[in-house]
Structures are given as structure tokens and as C-alpha cells.
Amino acid sequence: MSFSNLFRKKTVQDILRQVEKNEADGHNSLGKHLTARDLTAFGIAAIVGAGIFSTIGKASSDGGPAVIFLFLFTALACSFAAFAYAEFASMVPVSGSAYTYSYVAFGELIAWIIGWALIMEYAIGNITVAISWSDYFTGLLESGGLHLPQWIQMDYLTASNGFTDANALMQGGKAFENLDASLQDAYTAWTTSPVIGSFHFVADLPALFIIVLITALVYRGMKESRNASNLMVVVKLCIILLVIAVGVFYVDTDNWSPFAPNGVGGVLKGVSAVFFAYIGFDAISTTAEECKNPQKDLPKGMMWAIIICTILYIAIALVLTGMVNYKLLNVGDPLAFVFDKLDLKWMSGIIAVSAVVAMASVLLVFQMGQPRIWMSMSRDGLLPKKFSTVHPRFKTPSFATIVTGFVVAIPALFLNLTMVTDLCSIGTLFAFVLVCAGVLVLQNKPNIPRGKFKTPYINSKYIVPVLLIAGLVYSFAYNKENTMNFVNNVPQVNEPASIVTSLNKEQTAEVYQFLIANDKENVFTNKTADLEQILSEYHNNEDEYAKVVESLPIDNSLKYETGFSLFKHKIPMYIFLIVLLGLTVWSWRQNLSLIPLLGLVCCLYMMAELSVWNWIYFFVWLLIGLAIYFGYSRKNSKLNFVKE
């Protein structure tokens, strides 16, 4: 097989003919039940979840009230990508989302890569939401007086890592009751769990419960899933509007000053967390074959979902940062926290119930998306035929739905939330990048059937170079210190917790005695034995903290992040900058359309903000996918049996 066959493409005409054939003979066709209103509800169901009930707090504490600009930036980036999705969905109205679109634009190998990435996006996304749902659900049970053992409501990795960190901090003098609540829970889960040999049985059983329940609903049928989703969306929108309506009376405008306390850097610090709040609108495109009028309704559903959710996010962010000082919002449940702080405990209970409903609706949409990706790949021969089996009565991809349940349920018992959140983000952003690039590749190609929706064309030839120059001027004229630190790989001082947890017992005692002996200004008058607390006192003053850390009697490798260990985290940003230069040249030579190009750039930038470890894990996942492709999919692809 020649190298060119790796990039063999499906034509839009062939895809549409196959859909017509399926509908005519009733074989392998899905039930058509969805309207633009249903699609908008699915979008809201997918987007309004962990973001508004959890990550908005951390982002607000980093950026202050100005976090609303981060929501606007992220919404804009997602809107650019949504235009590209909508154009493809109008052109190729079939299940498969970015996978099918890439098959048309780039060919089979790239389609397989994006399909494999989407499998990770939806699976990891489902795991993330299931773990978050479990946290809220167990919290709700505890508020009602029902306390589950910690070892059945926490994943194995969190318990293991938390136990290790808690031991290190207690070794540094911190009392157990002064540990973060999350570390206390992890320590308790690990020490009270059943032990088989040296293995501690710690597993998130509530997460397993909700996955089984949602998988059964998705298996049962699209109509039932639609009705459940619509009901849950109505419930959580009512709750969110109630939060805004009540909270606005407790807003103190003094809390909005300063509006951007940590500058642009503080606002952008939460970019990955806020982007995660928008993940989900692309799942709408996987339901294309179940829409009554996909070419018209899919673009409407995506756009309305993003617009409505952005308005809600901005309103919530303004209310939260107006009710309490932004510094207090770095908590896992910011909505419940602010009302509890203002002694409105009845609202906290309502919010807890709505969070459980919101998480379930997100899981429902994600759990619908993945089987339809697998079904599309199976139809093309890239996965075994069994994955394209459609239930004769329920008209759903039955086998793929069951497999999805297992793929999500097992890891949810053991995996760490932070790890899976970032992996979900990088897989989604990669899909967005390729869909936007696909629109650019096809924009000038003749003989491509166009749908009813087309992204408005604005020539980027002059706009993109001007924006690039403006970015360089800002970086070197107004943000010179941070820019030069980045370029010169200037060593970064480690955080107090990072320093303390890296010390052994002897080093801990030595550092503690050193700080006590040099406490000439009585920074810690109570002579606390908590080493992390002592360092944190200095940490409030950046310059003073740097001097104290420099003088500590320990190796520099424990005090600073330097050399390659620091540079490796900048590799994704260097990749972004190199690609940006290439895109600028491409836009100048080919007169590319501005909107999908901006979508590509924004999404690639957000990928660059994720840690290098996420890129490495993602690359390993792609290597596994390529092994499967060359071992099975390439030989069994239906295009392999088409006469070239």
C-alpha cells in the first residue's frame, strides 16, 4: 500500500449517498427526534456543569472580577470553532463530528487520529464529570446526615497521593486538623480502607453508580435521553437564575475594585479551567443523523448554546466577585460557599441539589457522543463491525453504548480528577484545531457540496500579520519582564508546599531551626511548628519570599525550578509560536478566512497553556491509536476495498 493511501479521502457525495441508502432500507439508521430547541438544550446541558459550579471559583480567585474577560475570550474562541463545526455539520450531516469532517478534509490517517482523540475526549470527559458528580452527591448526602466512608467516595490516586503529602506536611510540623480538608479526606480514606496484602481498596463507587444509570438511559433511546436532558436543563437554569436574582441584592461594588488585581497574567492563568467549562457544545454534532433538519438546526443549536451559557457565566462571575472578595473564592464549590458565608444556608442546599442535576445532564450528553463516534468509525471499517450495531427497537448504537459504559466506569473508580480534566481539555482542543483547519483546507476547493450554513468570509491576509506585530509590541514594550524571563528561562522560586513536601525529616528540622533563628522581625510571633505556614507568611511578599528561599540551607534544586525541568513546561508555548508564524505566512499567501483561522489560533494557544505532561500523555495515547490503525484499521478500511 502506497504512502498516499494513508491520506485517502471520503467525498461528501459518497457520505450523503450512504446516509440516503441507510434511511431508505432502514438498516443501521438512527431515529430522528431532535429539533433546534433540543440541540440548544443539549448544548446547555453539556456546558453548564462543572464550570459554573466548580472551576469558576478558582478562575475568579486568580483573575478577580476581570475573569469575565476570560469567559468572553473563551466563548469567542469556542464560537470561532463552532462556526467551523456548523459549516461541516451543514455540509456533512452525519454522526461522527470532527472525525467525519477530517476524513473529508485531510484523509483517513488524520481522521483516525482525530477519531482516536475524540474517544479520549468523551471518555475522559465522562470520567471527569462522573467524579465531580460523586463529590457533589456525597456532599449532599452528608448535609442530610448520611456519611459514607471516605474510601468508597474517593479515587485511588487521590487517596494515595494525599496520604503521602499529608504525611510530609505533618512531618513539617502541621497538625492534622490544620491540613486542607481534601488532604484530611485523602489521609482518612487511605488509613481506613480495607487492605488486601499491601493493596488499599479505595474506589469511587458513587461515580460508578451514576455512569451505570446514565448509560442505561442512553441505551434506552434518543427520545428518552432528550426528554431527560430537557427536564434537567430547565431545573438547573431555574436554579442559576435564582442564584443571580438573590445574589445581586448582596453585591458590594467595593469588591469589584481593583477589577483586575493580578493583571492580564492573573486573568489568563485560569484559561484551561474556564475552557473546560465550555467543553461539550461539539458533542451536539455527533447527533446529526438524529436531527429532523440537521443543516439548519445544528448551527442554530451550537450558537445559541454558547451565547446563553456565556451570558450565564458572566452574570454568575460578577455576582460571586461582588458578594465576597475574589481572594476567598479558591474553593471547590464557590456558589454554595458565598451563600454559606452570608448565612443564607437555604440557598446552599438548593445549589447542592442543582449541582447534582447539572452534572448528570453533562454526563448524559457526553455519554451520547462517544458511541456515535465509534459507530461512525466502525461503519468505515476502522473499528470492528460490532460497534456500528444499531438496536432494532431503541434505534441507538447499542454495543458501542455498552462498551462506553465500561470504558468510563472502570477508570472513574481509580483516576485523579486533575489529571483527567486536563487530558479532556487537550483532546477537545486538538479536535477544534483540526476542524478549523479543515474548513481552511476546503475553503477554495471546487466540487465540494456546500450546506445551507457557511462561515462568513473575511480575508485574513493583512489582519493576522497586524495582530502578530501588535502582540510582539505588547510583549516587549508592556510586558517585557515576563517576556524576557520566558525567553531567558529565568529560574522560578518553588511554592511553600512544594518545598516542604520535597524535604526529608532532617532537612525539615534544619530549615525550621534556620527560620526560627533568623526571625528578626517576628514574622511568626506564635512560634508555630508548621513549616509551610512559616514560609507562607513570607510568600505574601514576593520579593521577601525570594530572599528567604535563597538563604535556606538546602540544595538549590529543592528551592528553584531551573534548566530543562523549567524549560520543558515552555515547549508547548514554543510549538504554538512556531505554528503561529507558519499560519501567518499561510494566511498571507492563500487569503484564508479569518474566523476559522482565529479559531485555530485561539484553541492552539489554550493547548499551549496546558502542561507539557498533558502533551506527553496525549502523545502516548496517539501512539497507541496509531498502533491499532496500522495493525487493524488500515487493512479493514472500506476505502481499502474501493478500486483506486
Side-chain angles (χ1 to χ4, degrees):
M1 183 178 288
S2 67
F3 178 78
S4 62
N5 282 346
L6 296 177
F7 299 95
R8 53 197 174 192
K9 299 176 182 178
K10 293 174 69 175
T11 66
V12 176
Q13 294 90 334
D14 288 341
I15 294 173
L16 296 178
R17 277 196 295 269
Q18 185 59 46
V19 172
E20 290 174 3
K21 181 177 181 298
N22 288 342
E23 291 177 354
D25 60 21
H27 179 64
N28 280 350
S29 61
L30 304 175
K32 293 184 177 293
H33 303 290
L34 304 179
T35 64
R37 184 184 65 182
D38 298 321
L39 292 169
T40 303
F42 274 139
I44 296 172
I47 296 172
V48 178
I52 208 160
F53 288 100
S54 180
T55 56
I56 194 172
K58 176 66 166 66
S60 297
S61 99
D62 288 333
V67 73
I68 64 170
F69 296 117
L70 181 55
F71 280 111
L72 284 172
F73 167 73
T74 309
L76 198 60
C78 289
S79 296
F80 293 149
F83 270 107
Y85 266 93
E87 181 166 337
F88 264 124
S90 181
M91 186 191 310
V92 193
V94 297
S95 294
S97 185
Y99 158 75
T100 302
Y101 310 154
S102 297
Y103 220 143
V104 173
F106 301 111
E108 186 171 280
L109 181 60
I110 303 300
W112 168 265
I113 289 173
I114 195 63
W116 190 245
L118 285 172
I119 289 174
M120 186 182 77
E121 173 196 344
Y122 289 120
I124 297 294
N126 292 343
I127 294 167
T128 304
V129 176
I131 295 171
S132 297
W133 183 91
S134 173
D135 291 343
Y136 279 100
F137 180 70
T138 52
L140 184 62
L141 291 180
E142 287 181 6
S143 66
L146 180 58
H147 301 281
L148 299 178
Q150 284 294 339
W151 57 271
I152 69 167
Q153 56 175 297
M154 181 176 292
D155 64 273
Y156 183 90
L157 285 178
T158 297
S160 176
N161 295 337
F163 174 78
T164 302
D165 289 344
N167 266 339
L169 291 171
M170 287 191 288
Q171 176 183 288
K174 187 181 285 291
F176 177 79
E177 56 271 15
N178 292 332
L179 292 172
D180 289 343
S182 59
L183 284 181
Q184 290 185 28
D185 291 343
Y187 185 91
T188 302
W190 190 258
T191 54
T192 60
S193 63
V195 180
I196 304 171
S198 60
F199 177 78
H200 289 250
F201 183 82
V202 183
D204 197 339
L205 296 185
L208 175 65
F209 165 75
I210 190 62
I211 291 168
V212 171
L213 185 65
I214 293 295
T215 301
L217 179 60
V218 172
Y219 182 90
R220 181 66 178 78
M222 176 56 75
K223 189 182 293 185
E224 290 76 10
S225 300
R226 177 200 65 187
N227 294 340
S229 172
N230 289 347
L231 177 62
M232 287 188 281
V233 166
V234 169
V235 170
K236 68 182 176 182
L237 285 183
C238 288
I239 299 299
I240 289 168
L241 293 174
L242 176 64
V243 167
I244 294 170
V246 173
V248 75
F249 291 102
Y250 294 87
V251 168
D252 180 357
T253 53
D254 289 343
N255 287 327
W256 289 340
S257 180
F259 199 71
N262 299 317
V264 176
V267 173
L268 290 177
K269 190 175 179 182
V271 67
S272 60
V274 168
F275 173 74
F276 185 73
Y278 278 92
I279 287 178
F281 79 84
D282 59 312
I284 301 173
S285 62
T286 65
T287 65
E289 286 183 49
E290 291 145 292
C291 298
K292 293 180 178 178
N293 188 354
Q295 293 186 318
K296 179 181 176 183
D297 293 341
L298 274 169
K300 281 185 179 179
M302 288 184 189
M303 295 303 176
W304 276 114
I306 291 174
I307 291 169
I308 292 170
C309 291
T310 301
I311 293 171
L312 291 175
Y313 279 149
I314 289 174
I316 285 287
L318 287 174
V319 168
L320 286 180
T321 54
M323 291 174 70
V324 299
N325 187 281
Y326 72 93
K327 295 178 182 177
L328 303 176
L329 290 173
N330 188 12
V331 293
D333 53 349
L335 268 66
F337 169 79
V338 293
F339 284 102
D340 193 49
K341 189 143 185 86
L342 296 173
D343 206 27
L344 296 171
K345 298 187 185 301
W346 62 276
M347 277 296 295
S348 297
I350 292 175
I351 290 167
V353 173
S354 66
V356 169
V357 173
M359 295 294 179
S361 68
V362 175
L363 186 60
L364 174 64
V365 177
F366 273 47
Q367 203 73 347
M368 280 193 310
Q370 185 172 332
R372 285 153 180 80
I373 299 291
W374 279 351
M375 180 186 71
S376 295
M377 296 175 77
S378 174
R379 284 175 173 176
D380 296 328
L382 303 186
L383 287 177
K385 189 175 180 180
K386 189 71 174 174
F387 281 90
S388 58
T389 302
V390 174
H391 196 283
R393 178 183 168 195
F394 300 141
K395 298 296 182 183
T396 57
S398 51
F399 179 78
T401 300
I402 293 172
V403 174
T404 296
F406 279 103
V407 167
V408 175
I410 304 304
L413 292 171
F414 305 106
L415 285 186
N416 179 280
L417 182 61
T418 302
M419 179 189 297
V420 295
T421 300
D422 286 346
L423 276 175
C424 180
S425 294
I426 197 168
T428 306
L429 286 165
F430 183 68
F432 287 5
V433 165
L434 282 189
V435 170
C436 291
V439 170
L440 296 173
V441 167
L442 296 181
Q443 73 171 30
N444 295 321
K445 289 196 173 181
N447 304 321
I448 299 289
R450 303 292 173 179
K452 297 177 183 177
F453 179 87
K454 195 172 189 308
T455 305
Y457 176 78
I458 302 171
N459 194 338
S460 65
K461 181 171 185 175
Y462 299 105
I463 298 175
V464 171
V466 168
L467 290 176
L468 179 60
I469 292 170
L472 291 172
V473 170
Y474 170 79
S475 298
F476 286 97
Y478 300 98
N479 195 31
K480 185 176 181 180
E481 182 179 355
N482 289 333
T483 302
M484 295 311 297
N485 286 346
F486 177 86
V487 172
N488 295 325
N489 205 39
V490 174
Q492 300 293 307
V493 183
N494 285 327
E495 296 288 312
S498 177
I499 292 175
V500 173
T501 55
S502 65
L503 302 177
N504 60 36
K505 193 172 183 178
E506 291 74 20
Q507 290 170 327
T508 299
E510 187 177 0
V511 170
Y512 177 76
Q513 292 300 328
F514 175 84
L515 290 173
I516 290 288
N518 288 274
D519 182 27
K520 297 175 183 176
E521 299 180 7
N522 290 320
V523 173
F524 41 98
T525 55
N526 294 329
K527 295 295 183 289
T528 175
D530 186 345
L531 182 56
E532 187 201 13
Q533 183 180 334
I534 295 171
L535 287 173
S536 296
E537 292 283 351
Y538 289 112
H539 191 250
N540 293 328
N541 183 319
E542 189 174 326
D543 293 334
E544 181 69 16
Y545 177 68
K547 291 178 182 177
V548 169
V549 171
E550 184 180 7
S551 66
L552 293 179
I554 53 176
D555 191 84
N556 281 344
S557 63
L558 301 174
K559 297 188 283 188
Y560 303 103
E561 191 170 23
T562 59
F564 183 74
S565 65
L566 176 62
F567 175 78
K568 67 187 178 187
H569 297 296
K570 300 176 181 179
I571 293 174
M573 187 57 69
Y574 276 111
I575 292 173
F576 165 75
L577 294 173
I578 292 169
V579 173
L580 181 59
L581 289 174
L583 290 172
T584 304
V585 173
W586 189 25
S587 67
W588 178 269
R589 297 178 62 183
Q590 298 294 328
N591 298 318
L592 298 179
S593 178
L594 181 65
I595 291 177
L597 183 59
L598 288 178
L600 194 162
V601 170
C602 291
C603 292
L604 192 60
Y605 169 76
M606 287 191 281
M607 283 182 71
E609 287 289 337
L610 296 173
S611 80
V612 69
W613 295 113
N614 291 298
W615 285 66
I616 292 171
Y617 297 147
F618 183 59
F619 182 68
V620 170
W621 175 258
L622 292 185
L623 286 179
I624 294 171
L626 288 174
I628 295 173
Y629 174 76
F630 286 105
Y632 174 87
S633 305
R634 188 184 69 166
K635 294 180 292 185
N636 291 278
S637 168
K638 289 190 176 178
L639 291 187
N640 198 37
F641 302 103
V642 175
K643 195 171 182 179
E644 302 290 346

